[in-house]
Amino acid sequence: MSDIQQTAQQLHDQFSEHLDVDVEEIEERLERYVDEYKIPLDEARRSVESHYLDEAGIERDELGRGGNPTVQAADVDTADEWVDITAKVVDLWEPRSDSVAQVGLLGDESGTIKFTKWAASDLDELDEGQVYHLGNVVTDEYQGRYSVKLNRTTTITEVDEDIEVGDDETTVEGALVDIQSGSGLIKRCPHEDCTRVLQNGRCSEHGEVEGEFDLRIKGVLDDGTDVHEIILNEEATTDLTGVTLAEAKQQAMDALDTTVVADEMRETLLGKYYRVSGPTLGRYVLANDIEELNDPVDGESVLIKARSM
Amino acid sequence: MSESAPTREVARRVFADEFNDATFTFKESDDERAPLYSLLPTGAKANRVFLVGTLTETEDVGEDSEYWRGRVVDPTGTFFVYAGQYQPDAANALRELDTPAYVAIVGKPRTYETEDGTVNVSVRPESITEVDTATRDRWVVETAERTLERIEAFDEEGNEYARRAEEEYDLPLRRYKRAAIDALESLDETEDGDGEDEDTRDAETAESV
């Protein structure tokens, strides 16, 4: 569908209760503005909208909120915006608070985004695996991670088609310039579905607990232009370092200190170049795959560029 | 990007030649803890650098406590690296490493004004690790690329740090372009160099026969 067709469809939906006008007619009007008069589409939309408002004899605010931009899950990159989204409920999580009715993950072709539905909004129950058109949701951001919030004015329409949910897998390259605290041999809260990393033997939710050991790396890849934060889980960490969880525990036991594990990792990994691919979660790339870039480089193309400057 | 998650500063790629010219430092807010930037002559601010070179010398220059100085050489010049008690890992590395060795260093630019008024630029390392030739060569190519990108963007409208560099330094950019080209060419030489060595050896053998 072209942008004009899409806009025409949106306008048609907006006016469907007020006017008997077909999509083709709206499309023609838009085309005239855009193609003949070279008016930007959003301006054209406004003009066409005004025309039909006149025709229907209604004010702009009586139209309701038909004018939200329709977004793709992975493209949300601003907070506090009113948007529409058509997406599948790929995962439902246990709400941590009574004020939340449902929380989980929405997905479309572009990737996934977290959603929250407040108990106070009094909305219909969403089913896992079902595709919905959600009108009037608000985008939000927390620590670089975006989500959408459903609210009292949100419209929920079941859509009778399936969506193939895309993975927002990316590949990043750069020098590993930092291995951050919380890397190496760590302890996690053993409570079911918690898995928070313990700080001095304490879970921020469950207090002092007997933690379970895990191995991970939180690192920073830097290519001189951009910075990417990466997380390696136990498997990826072992792949890269050759150190298993059992060996890491042994190292820590021998040294009577768990920090030796991360120290050793810093010594062997920092300052080298890596390529990492995996899904993105907020500002992190979860490394499914990591390889060191140690094949010889060819400076020829840069040299040619330099000489031509 | 969000205000709640402070974004980490990128580690600039800069050759020693340009780094040592970056004598002007500044802060972007009055906050005492605001990051200190050095102004690169090719027009960028650097709060952190990543460099790879040959560690040629280490020396404990401290008086009361250990204070290690390392010389790290790249194709264009020498980085001076200082690590003391507040950089224990880096100081440790300088103490332990045998020279010469290829090292990768993440660190912050620092400047120091001597009594005669010259400003010395050095690196305060966050980490120092030993690396191999492939990593070092990759860095040289990458640093040449980034340097050329800065030079290309120098005259762009709205390039704030380039305008500032013009004001503060008045250094000819072609110098840094030349340095980048020399650095890239030096990589070729190392490869061809092996061949030349053999030739020379052959010649010597021929002569001695």
Side-chain angles (χ1 to χ4, degrees), chain A residues 141 222 270 273 307 309, chain B residues 2 11 13 129 142 177 185:
Chain A
E141 183 264 358
D222 180 319
L270 281 180
Y273 289 85
R307 285 176 177 145
M309 270 168 69
Chain B
S2 74
R13 308 300 200 263
T129 44
E142 184 182 64
K177 188 180 115 183
E185 282 172 346

Side-chain angles (χ1 to χ4, degrees), chain A residues 6-11 13-14 42 45 49 60 63-72 80-86 133-139 148-151 153-156:
Chain A
Q6 212 162 5
T7 307
Q9 187 63 52
Q10 284 167 5
L11 283 169
D13 294 349
Q14 264 176 274
D42 52 343
R45 178 193 174 124
E49 195 177 81
R60 199 175 290 275
L63 259 191
R65 288 185 171 271
N68 288 339
T70 301
V71 295
Q72 296 268 293
D80 303 320
E81 233 191 316
W82 291 82
V83 297
D84 299 345
I85 185 169
T86 301
H133 175 76
L134 303 172
N136 237 15
V137 299
V138 186
T139 62
V148 290
K149 305 249 191 274
L150 282 58
N151 59 78
T153 69
T154 299
T155 56
I156 300 177

Side-chain angles (χ1 to χ4, degrees), chain B residues 25-43:
Chain B
T25 56
F26 63 99
K27 289 186 169 195
E28 296 200 314
S29 98
D30 296 334
D31 189 350
E32 206 182 312
R33 293 162 56 103
L36 181 74
Y37 295 98
S38 94
L39 181 67
L40 301 182
T42 50

Side-chain angles (χ1 to χ4, degrees), chain B residues 2-73:
Chain B
S2 74
E3 294 291 320
S4 56
T7 44
R8 186 190 162 95
E9 301 267 354
V10 69
R12 299 281 174 204
R13 308 300 200 263
V14 50
F15 286 120
D17 171 47
E18 183 185 354
F19 183 78
N20 290 329
D21 284 344
T23 51
F24 180 77
T25 56
F26 63 99
K27 289 186 169 195
E28 296 200 314
S29 98
D30 296 334
D31 189 350
E32 206 182 312
R33 293 162 56 103
L36 181 74
Y37 295 98
S38 94
L39 181 67
L40 301 182
T42 50
K45 57 173 180 173
N47 165 252
R48 180 179 278 124
V49 290
F50 175 66
L51 60 101
V52 182
T54 315
L55 182 68
T56 56
E57 257 181 64
T58 55
E59 190 186 347
D60 179 8
V61 295
E63 282 164 14
D64 303 327
S65 61
E66 273 184 85
Y67 195 58
W68 284 89
R69 179 179 65 198
R71 297 172 68 103
V72 178
V73 178

Side-chain angles (χ1 to χ4, degrees), chain A residues 10-51:
Chain A
Q10 284 167 5
L11 283 169
H12 179 263
D13 294 349
Q14 264 176 274
F15 282 99
S16 59
E17 284 172 37
H18 307 281
L19 274 180
D20 186 21
V21 57
D22 54 30
V23 189
E24 287 72 24
E25 186 194 317
I26 300 175
E27 198 183 317
E28 273 167 34
R29 260 178 210 284
L30 282 169
E31 264 171 8
R32 209 162 62 233
Y33 280 109
V34 174
D35 295 343
E36 275 178 48
Y37 297 98
K38 308 293 175 209
I39 288 173
L41 184 58
D42 52 343
E43 267 307 307
R45 178 193 174 124
R46 206 189 145 76
S47 301
V48 172
E49 195 177 81
S50 300
H51 170 85

Side-chain angles (χ1 to χ4, degrees), chain A residues 227-240:
Chain A
V227 174
H228 300 281
E229 292 178 74
I230 57 170
I231 294 182
L232 278 65
N233 63 8
E234 184 196 335
E235 196 188 334
T237 302
T238 300
D239 266 0
L240 184 64

Side-chain angles (χ1 to χ4, degrees), chain B residues 111-153:
Chain B
T111 53
Y112 169 75
E113 193 169 340
T114 60
E115 277 165 22
D116 65 7
T118 36
V119 177
N120 289 332
V121 186
S122 64
V123 182
R124 198 185 68 195
E126 294 171 338
S127 73
I128 302 179
T129 44
E130 192 169 355
V131 295
D132 58 10
T133 323
T135 301
R136 182 265 190 183
D137 290 354
R138 187 172 288 272
W139 179 84
V140 170
V141 174
E142 184 182 64
T143 301
E145 217 172 344
R146 296 290 169 267
T147 303
L148 295 169
E149 281 166 9
R150 290 196 296 272
I151 293 172
E152 265 186 326

Side-chain angles (χ1 to χ4, degrees), chain A residues 16 36 48 141 144 173 196 201 216 249 256 298:
Chain A
S16 59
E36 275 178 48
V48 172
E141 183 264 358
E173 284 183 14
R196 281 185 178 81
R216 76 158 177 192
K249 280 198 243 179
L256 300 173
D298 185 10

